[in-house]
Each structure stands twice: as C-alpha cells, then as structure tokens.
Amino acid sequence: MLPGSAERQQAAPWEAQEVAAAAAEATEEQVCVDAGAAGEPERTTGGEQLKDPAPAPAQPRAAEEGDARDPPRPSPSLPRSKPAPARGLCPHDKPRSKGRSCKRGSSRRPDESRPRRPVTVDSSKARTSLDALKISIRQLKWKEFPFGRRLPCDIYWHGVSFHDSDIFSGQVNKFPGMTEMVRKITLSRAVRIMQELFPDEYNFYPRSWILPDEFQLFVAQVRMVKDGDPSWKPTFIVKPDGGCQGDGIYLIKDPSDIRLAGTLQSRPAVVQEYICKPLLIDKLKFDIRLYVLLKSLDPLEIYIAKDGLSRFCTEPYQEPTPKNLHHIFMHLTNYSLNIHSGNFVHSDSANTGSKRTFSSILCRLSSKGVDIKKVWSDIISLVIKTVIALTPELKVFYQSDIPAGKPGPTCFQILGFDILLMKNLKPILLEVNANPSMRIEHEQELSPGVFENVPSLVDEEVKVAVIRDTLRLMDPLKKKRENHFPDIYMDRKHRFPPVSDRMSSSKLQLSKLSIVRSQQFEKPLAGKADTSDSDMATAPDGSTNSEAHLPSICLKQVFPKYAKHFNYLRLVDRLANLFIRFLGIKGTMKLGPTGFRTFIRNCKLSSSSLSMAAVDILYIDITRRWNSMTLDQRDSGMCLQAFTEAFFYLAQRKFKMMPLHEQVASLIDLCEYHLSLLDEKRLVCGRSGTSWCQPPCSGTPQEATPLAQLSEVTSPPHLNSANKLSQSKHFLS
C-alpha cells in the first residue's frame, strides 16, 4: 500500500494509537498511571461522557523509515463498550502469559479511565503580575489557586522574594538570594571581579565606584584622569543601592557635587560613568527591557525572550551640560518617571508612543541597513556573561536555603535586563531587575486627580507571552510524560529504531525501493505534510496536543546552546564550588578560620614562604575588611567575595609572570587535582573497610599503591602549565 493512498489516510490515526499502545506496554508493570503523566484527554464540560473521536482523514506525509513496518490494520468499527475478559484471559480472550501483556493493540488504553490532571498554580503571592499570570494560566488550561491551597501545588508564583512563603516541593519562580545579588552594589562587585579576570569581555558595564566606601578612590581617579587629559569633561550618574523606578537617581559633573550630607551613610549608592552618546530614535533617548529566564542554576540554563520593550524619554536628548543635568525626562528612561511627563504618549501600536516593542525598533534599524543579527549576538553575549558573573554567589545562597539532601522546591526566575544601545550600536548593561514589572495596564488620568487603569496592548503582547511560555517550559507534567514516553516525544525522524534492527536484509532492500517510489509519488505534498504533522502533534494517549492552539514559544535558549563559547569565563563558578565544599556546616554562607585552614592544607598551598601563621593573618585581614563593607552582620566569617580576593592573592604568589585569569585557572586546576586525589584516597579506604589511611608519603608501599598508580596516570596541572594555559579555553569548556 503506497503512502498517500486513501487507505493510508484512513489508517494514519490508528498508527498513532499503535505507538501509544507500544508505549503503554513499556509501563506494563506500573499498576496505576499517574494522572496527567500519560496525557489523558481533557474533561468534557456539562458532565458529558468521553467519546472516541471519529478518525478524521490525515494529511498525507512523506515516507520515512517508520513506514517500512507492516501495514497498519484498517479502522475497526467495533463499539467502545466490551465485556470484561474472564479471569486469566487477556482482553482478546487469549491465555494471559505470566509477566507479559497482550501483544495486540487494545482499543482501550489504561490511562483512558481518568481525565488528564491540569497543572496547579498557587498565585496567592503573585501581586503585580497577577493579571498577566491569570491570562497565561487560562490560555494553558491549567488550574489556578488565587487564595492558596492546603495541598501542594505544582508551581508557586511569588511576586517579590523566594521567602514569600515556606515551600517544600514543586517549583517556585524565585531563586533565593536573587534580590540581593542584583542590587546595584552587589551587581557592580560581581561584574568587577569578572572585569579583573577578563577586562575585554566585560567592557559592556560602565566603570563604577561604591559609595561611601570608595569615595576617596573615586575622587583620586577622576582627578588623575583630568590631569592627564584636561579636555576630558565626564558626566557621572549616582544610583542608590536599593532604589527602583528611578528613585533617587541624579547626574553630576564633578565628584564634589555628590550629595554627601547624611544620605550616603544611610543609603549607599553606586556612581557610574554616564553614557553621553546613546542611540537616538526620533531624537529621543531610549533603553531596552529584555526578559531573561534563568531556568536552572546547576546545570545552567538561560533563555531570552525574542521580543522586549523599548522605553523612551519624553524630551529631545542633548548631551549633558550643567544647565540640563536636572532634566530627568531627557536623561532618564525609567517608565515610572516619564509617565508623569505631559509629553508621554500612550499608544496601542507597537511602532509608536513612549513605550514600543523592541522588535519594532529592530525593524526600523534594519530598514536603515543595520546588521540586526550582530546587534542580537552582542545582546545575547552580554546576557550570558552577566548571568555567569551572578551564578557563583547564587549557588552559595541556594545551598544555604536548600541544602543538599533537604526537601525543597526547584527554582526558576524571570529577570529584567535594562540595556542601552550606544550610537555605535554597542549594548551597555544598565541594571538587572529581580522583579521586573509584569503589569499589563497603565494609569490614565480622566480628570484632575482621578485615574483609571487602562489596558496596555503593548505590555500584554510581550509580558503575557513571556509568562505563558515560561510556564510551558517549566510544565512538570510534561516532564513526567516525556519520562514515561520518551520515544513519542522525540523528533519523528528519530522516533523509531533503525530499520536494519527490525528487518532482514532481503526485506530491507525491498522496503528501501518502496520508500524511494513513495517519495517520488508524494514530492508535491512533502512540505504540506510536514506542516500538518507538526501542527497536529499527538499526545501519548493519541489525543491532540493541548498546546497545539498556542503560538510557538517566544523564549530562545542561549545556554547551554552556546556554552562552548563562554565556558572559559566560568572560573569564579569553579571557585565557588571550592568555597562551598569547605563551608562545613549546611546552611551557612561564610567560611570560618578552620575551614580556610582546611582548604589550604588539603590543596597543598602552604609552603616555606607561606606558613599557616601567614594564612591565619591573611584570613583575618581580608575577612575584617569585607565584614566592614557588608551590611549583613548576622554571620561572622569569610564571604565568597572575600574568599575570591584571598584566592587571587594566592594565585599571584604561586604563578608569577602570567595574566591574572591564567594564574587563577592554574591554581583552580591544582586545587581540583589535589582534592581529586583526596577523594580517591577516601574511596579506596572506604572499600578496604579502614576508617582512615595514612598519607601516601608516610604509609607502607602497599597502602600507597592505589594513590601511586593514580599519580602516575594523572600528573599535577601546574607541571604541564604551559601546554594547559595555551589551551585554557578548551580545557575549561
């Protein structure tokens, strides 16, 4: 029977049922199938009973390897109801073999008795994102619990923080510590560490100083640059550490203009170089709000929304002068500020108004000959590098709130990246928002003092898609279905095993000939067949995919997709793994003096030039200085950033005449090498049943044999540093 014939069209739906029946056989030992895991059909409304859908004629599709199987049976015309088989017989009145199920495809699947369980979402803490979340849940046909639920939910949607409520299972849309990590000061310190290691890779973040701690340094460096170049007339922007929505931001031309009178002591801030030459559209300055999904921390998974928002100033831009420094509607792009301007334009069009879609800006730039792919590539690089700078300390927060072995939820989070395009189209990172606004309406003044919330179509177009597709990616029941039926959720080109594994060589030659002939008959319909097959994807139970009515996912994976280009930057991430290993007590975030000494001893870093007494002094000096700069004084000890500074100092002492990133990479390699030896030693001791083994240098030859063999196979990294450092990027990836 040739594919594409009438018989083939009639039997196509039953092929899908055969695949579902085969998947059901793989789970024959499972007594009860989890509701929702097997993709049951939706519950019908009005109390109607479920009925078998009539097999609609399927679109013809091109022949594949799977078509070389035996021809499918014609559509049966048996009624649905069938008397139960006698005890000991299969549904086809055959003797039931022990441990085996009936090989013939059954018309009733084991998961058909129960409707598919919807995903449950607790939205009681959603706050400002509630409207967009409700629309997304409605489009996905999931079940929302706006007032919470006594039983656990699949997903918890928090509005502000991970700690909005105690959760011990499911998934929550916040990472512990994310709010603290993206504050102005913490973000600047995290990026500064990466700028020390890779200055050329992290030149997308303006030079920053932390006030009041670095005020004298700020004054000295500005004076030094001005003395060397009298024509340099910089502008600086001061941002309060905990500020949001443009609160407390102002511009200055000279360090003496900073408002020191009591404000910085009670409200620390970051001062940055102001970007004086931004890209202008319609003579207005604008920035870009891009939404980034951090799906997982370990392994690292990053997605970027394909569209974002462009927020415009409401006064024509001029370069900063002492006369216009205070014109906030000219220099600050914050929506919460410009909405109070008389020139703010509300528009339902994505191409006009004071808030537009980023895609409309790209279309306009493309019409002027701008390389849009290059712009997107630079933005993706900026996002990945920024997340790489944030992940080390996020890991420390994560293990503190959810220690290994303790029940807890898995986390994901939507971040808002504020990016400015310079006149040369280079993207500059302004800030990262842990709680980007997901409101899809704006306030409109009907009369003086009387406001009304009016829907914003531009916001709804972008934000609802981001939330909906984030939920689709985090769908826990979809993961269960993929685990139960992995073959069915694979790409259809790789769904079946090779034909050579299922056929003899003689039949294989005939089937190849028939496939070639069928492809010749179906050539005009090949493109159409592929489209219909992707649009009408089937669930494991043979029903239509519940997401078939939804648009394609607007979130694009950028990591680990491009991991090989960025893995060499993850030095501090490996350093954080060392830090967490020696924390000792679960739930703590600071390293004590004993843990630091153990780190030095186990990694063999002490020597005649670095005694343990010098190690103690190093620990005390660095820890005391960092504790004086940290607002959180609840725990005493060495934080990750202090440990990083100490590690850099040790790397510069041990490996001289190298760039800093090579020094740090070499020391990390050395530490990981010695720790792997220690782990191997403990493993050997555990197998031999002894509680402890002597060090290899002091033990008997028999005791030291396994470690001696290991050291012969694995040489210390620093002995071959020249070869390794020349290929450091490949080694780290």
Side-chain angles (χ1 to χ4, degrees), residues 132-145:
L133 179 63
K134 285 181 177 293
I135 295 175
S136 301
I137 295 174
R138 195 181 310 125
Q139 291 179 356
L140 294 172
K141 301 178 182 178
W142 291 2
K143 189 170 182 61
E144 179 191 5
F145 289 88

Side-chain angles (χ1 to χ4, degrees), residues 273-438:
E273 290 185 68
Y274 180 76
I275 307 300
C276 295
K277 296 185 180 296
L279 178 68
L280 303 179
I281 289 184
D282 299 332
K283 299 182 181 180
L284 299 173
K285 179 182 176 181
F286 70 97
D287 73 349
I288 305 161
R289 164 64 60 85
L290 280 184
Y291 297 97
V292 176
L293 170 63
L294 183 56
K295 186 183 178 186
S296 170
L297 198 58
D298 191 11
L300 184 61
E301 278 192 74
I302 308 171
Y303 289 77
I304 297 182
K306 297 177 182 178
D307 202 358
L309 296 173
S310 299
R311 292 93 52 93
F312 282 76
C313 289
T314 49
E315 288 185 12
Y317 178 78
Q318 298 175 4
E319 290 196 18
T321 64
K323 293 183 179 181
N324 64 25
L325 282 181
H326 304 293
H327 293 193
I328 59 173
F329 297 146
M330 177 188 296
H331 297 292
L332 303 184
T333 57
N334 301 76
Y335 167 78
S336 56
L337 294 177
N338 284 277
I339 195 174
H340 299 293
S341 169
N343 298 326
F344 191 91
V345 179
H346 292 287
S347 175
D348 291 335
S349 172
N351 305 314
T352 60
S354 297
K355 183 188 287 188
R356 314 176 193 177
T357 60
F358 180 47
S359 57
S360 68
I361 302 299
L362 292 178
C363 289
R364 186 161 178 175
L365 295 177
S366 178
S367 65
K368 296 181 179 180
V370 173
D371 187 356
I372 301 304
K373 291 184 178 180
K374 176 67 166 55
V375 174
W376 258 119
S377 176
D378 292 342
I379 290 176
I380 290 173
S381 177
L382 178 151
V383 169
I384 294 176
K385 291 173 182 177
T386 303
V387 175
I388 286 176
L390 295 174
T391 50
E393 199 151 359
L394 280 176
K395 285 186 174 181
V396 179
F397 276 102
Y398 195 89
Q399 65 83 34
S400 175
D401 282 88
I402 313 176
K406 177 183 175 182
T410 56
C411 301
F412 65 97
Q413 188 156 354
I414 298 174
L415 303 174
F417 275 66
D418 291 347
I419 299 171
L420 180 74
L421 288 178
M422 295 180 62
K423 195 172 183 178
N424 60 0
L425 298 177
K426 176 183 177 180
I428 299 294
L429 177 66
L430 300 180
E431 62 181 16
V432 180
N433 295 271
N435 302 302
S437 173
M438 287 296 178

Side-chain angles (χ1 to χ4, degrees), residues 189-257:
R189 284 174 174 161
V191 175
R192 182 183 296 179
I193 290 175
M194 300 304 296
Q195 287 176 334
E196 292 179 21
L197 292 170
F198 306 100
D200 295 334
E201 301 286 354
Y202 281 83
N203 60 2
F204 56 81
Y205 191 70
R207 189 172 185 180
S208 307
W209 296 267
I210 297 169
L211 305 179
D213 297 331
E214 298 176 353
F215 178 71
Q216 298 300 329
L217 176 65
F218 170 54
V219 173
Q221 290 183 344
V222 170
R223 184 183 298 116
M224 181 178 62
V225 175
K226 281 187 174 181
D227 292 342
D229 184 8
S231 63
W232 184 54
K233 297 180 180 179
T235 303
F236 303 97
I237 183 169
V238 182
K239 303 177 181 179
D241 180 44
C244 61
Q245 299 181 344
D247 178 37
I249 298 178
Y250 59 95
L251 273 61
I252 60 173
K253 297 291 289 185
D254 189 85
S256 60
D257 298 335

